[in-house]
Amino acid sequence: MKNIKILGGGCSNCNKLEILTKEVLDENSIPFEINHIKDLSEIMSYGVMKTPVLIVDEKVIISGRVPSKKELIKRLIK
């Protein structure tokens, strides 16, 4: 099971990243748990400067942008 975190205050890009991530994982039958972290102090604890951020199993995968679906598939399906 993948442990997924989306870091971001709830802006449209943060929400888009969460929806796209869920879509890719569902389409590929990958079990996951996802948390959308909106608390600024918790976001800052990861040392990132721009949101949205995608974290998989406590590793920052994407920061500061919403990737294409194709890129997200490559990064999530290993």
Side-chain angles (χ1 to χ4, degrees), residues 2-64:
K2 292 198 180 279
N3 182 351
I4 308 289
K5 292 181 182 172
I6 305 293
L7 307 182
C11 68
S12 61
N13 281 338
C14 299
N15 294 333
K16 185 176 179 180
L17 178 58
E18 181 176 3
I19 290 166
L20 187 60
T21 300
K22 286 179 180 178
E23 190 177 293
V24 167
L25 294 169
D26 282 337
E27 288 175 0
N28 290 280
S29 301
I30 297 172
F32 65 92
E33 179 180 320
I34 194 163
N35 278 317
H36 191 143
I37 309 298
K38 297 178 181 177
D39 179 69
L40 185 57
S41 61
E42 190 170 351
I43 292 170
M44 291 175 64
S45 75
Y46 283 90
V48 295
M49 299 304 288
K50 289 185 173 182
T51 62
V53 178
L54 174 64
I55 296 176
V56 178
D57 298 328
E58 294 302 315
K59 181 180 177 189
V60 174
I61 303 297
I62 305 275
S63 179

